[in-house]
Amino acid sequence: QVQLVESGGGLVQPGGSLRLSCAASGSISSIDVMGWYRQAPGKQRELVAVIPSGRSTVYADSVKGRFTISRDNAKNTVYLQMISLKPEDTAVYYCYAEGVRASSSWYPKVWGQGTLVTVSS
């Protein structure tokens, strides 16, 4: 089974930085799109950033200039470097993968379990 496991969440002060990682496992051949979503308390899940294979990244307006998404295809891992964090960035961050090919199977969408990021002084 294909799994996405996030790590790197935690408590950080406003203005601080945090780096999230998400590793996909399960005999994966390729992943078309990887990205990050987040869900704040009382709000719907929203897209943070996506990084299609071989294409340009896309960021939510709220994080442009502060967050950087990257991926290591050899490791089937996606990262989210977050700087200048604000209290409104507080949320559970979910790793996302689209178009995953693994073990002769194709998975349209795969979600991680989420990692909590809390920005507070």
Side-chain angles (χ1 to χ4, degrees), residues 46-121:
E46 65 174 348
L47 184 144
V48 176
V50 295
I51 180 168
S53 180
R55 285 167 282 172
S56 299
T57 57
V58 178
Y59 295 92
D61 288 340
S62 60
V63 306
K64 285 182 179 177
R66 300 188 300 116
F67 291 11
T68 302
I69 189 171
S70 61
R71 64 189 288 180
D72 185 337
N73 290 332
K75 297 181 179 180
N76 293 313
T77 300
V78 63
Y79 307 92
L80 186 68
Q81 180 66 53
M82 305 182 292
I83 65 171
S84 302
L85 283 162
K86 306 174 181 179
E88 50 262 44
D89 294 318
T90 296
V92 176
Y93 284 70
Y94 295 91
C95 183
Y96 166 81
E98 180 179 321
V100 181
R101 291 178 172 82
S103 300
S104 301
S105 298
W106 183 70
Y107 302 84
K109 300 180 187 296
V110 184
W111 292 93
Q113 82 288 347
T115 185
L116 177 62
V117 173
T118 302
V119 185
S120 176
S121 59

Side-chain angles (χ1 to χ4, degrees), residues 9-64:
L11 176 64
V12 64
Q13 294 184 340
S17 301
L18 210 59
R19 189 188 192 220
L20 306 182
S21 299
C22 171
S25 63
S27 300
I28 295 171
S29 298
S30 64
I31 304 174
D32 290 338
V33 180
M34 300 191 79
W36 294 91
Y37 284 68
R38 68 185 182 186
Q39 188 166 22
K43 300 181 66 176
Q44 296 187 40
R45 189 175 299 186
E46 65 174 348
L47 184 144
V48 176
V50 295
I51 180 168
S53 180
R55 285 167 282 172
S56 299
T57 57
V58 178
Y59 295 92
D61 288 340
S62 60
V63 306
K64 285 182 179 177

